[in-house]
Amino acid sequence: RGSTESWDLILLDGMLPQKSGFDVCRDLRAKGIKTPVLMLTARGQVSDRVVGLKLGADDYLVKPFDMAELLARIEARLRRDGVPAESATSLAHRSVTVGAIHVDFRRAEVTKSGTPVELSGKELHLLRYFLEHQGATLSRNELLEAVWGYSTVPFTRTVDVHVANLRRKLEDDPARPSMILTIHGLGYKFVAGRM
């Protein structure tokens, strides 16, 4: 297909004849293409997987693999990105106001009651994911995969630390959040209507 057409998912072999799949993945992300990328590669070292994920791959499958696993990973990735295309793409390019919080995703600017709020890239990505899934209970594993591109990483506090940072910066009373709620034993829920 031409590069102007949209893709649901990119299946990318790490060993291409002209250019490394790692380089292709990096170039796609540099051009702002956010389509999920599933890398296929014979390079199974942990360091290679880390490089692939850091370059922007969403998932990584080492050869040889079973076709059933490949299909299952593709289905899982498409299901996970099943936010209606209009909602996902338009939110990334528009402004959203929730109570006193105003977010301009295109400019990566956030204000609270008119005062600028500095958010890191991951905090902004996490906030966008919360806004795209308002009212849904989101597990830590889902947030790790959607925002950081990690598969399940046991015992990590990454999500909790970033949620605490968002609460500190956005909530009126971070100790008693009214927007980013903890659902004990399950994860977090973004509830805009309670602001």
Side-chain angles (χ1 to χ4, degrees), residues 98-101 112 170-172 178-179 190-195:
V98 180
I101 309 297
K112 180 179 177 183
L170 302 178
E171 297 273 8
D172 289 333
S178 62
M179 181 170 53
F190 186 93
V191 184
R194 292 178 57 172
M195 284 198 68

Side-chain angles (χ1 to χ4, degrees), residues 43-180:
R43 296 162 66 172
Q45 298 291 330
V46 172
S47 59
D48 291 329
R49 292 198 300 271
V50 169
V51 167
L53 293 169
K54 286 193 172 191
L55 289 174
D58 297 284
D59 201 354
Y60 201 99
L61 194 55
V62 178
K63 300 176 191 175
F65 53 83
D66 189 281
M67 188 57 71
E69 182 179 7
L70 172 61
L71 293 174
R73 285 180 184 250
I74 290 172
E75 288 172 7
R77 189 76 240 176
L78 294 175
R79 188 171 56 246
R80 192 164 34 251
D81 293 324
V83 178
E86 174 191 55
S87 167
T89 56
S90 64
L91 189 57
H93 296 286
R94 66 180 173 93
S95 299
V96 177
T97 300
V98 180
I101 309 297
H102 180 76
V103 186
D104 185 331
F105 285 103
R106 172 163 255 167
R107 294 182 178 175
E109 295 174 352
V110 181
T111 59
K112 180 179 177 183
S113 301
T115 303
V117 176
E118 292 294 324
L119 294 187
S120 70
K122 286 299 181 194
E123 289 167 353
L124 190 62
H125 191 170
L126 179 59
L127 177 59
R128 188 173 84 195
Y129 197 80
F130 275 134
L131 286 168
E132 289 172 349
H133 298 84
Q134 288 184 50
T137 299
L138 306 171
S139 71
R140 286 170 178 82
N141 286 345
E142 178 180 350
L143 292 169
L144 269 175
E145 289 182 30
V147 177
W148 285 268
Y150 299 160
S151 295
T152 304
V153 181
F155 312 118
T156 183
R157 300 270 304 152
T158 300
V159 173
D160 300 325
V161 168
H162 282 76
V163 166
N165 288 342
L166 277 182
R167 284 174 171 164
R168 181 175 49 79
K169 294 175 180 182
L170 302 178
E171 297 273 8
D172 289 333
D173 182 358
R176 292 185 179 84
S178 62
M179 181 170 53
I180 305 171

Side-chain angles (χ1 to χ4, degrees), residues 6-28:
S6 63
W7 301 77
D8 294 325
L9 181 135
I10 297 170
L11 195 58
L12 185 58
D13 196 315
M15 300 177 79
L16 298 172
Q18 303 278 334
K19 192 176 194 180
S20 156
F22 292 91
D23 292 336
V24 173
C25 184
R26 185 193 60 233
D27 293 346
L28 289 170

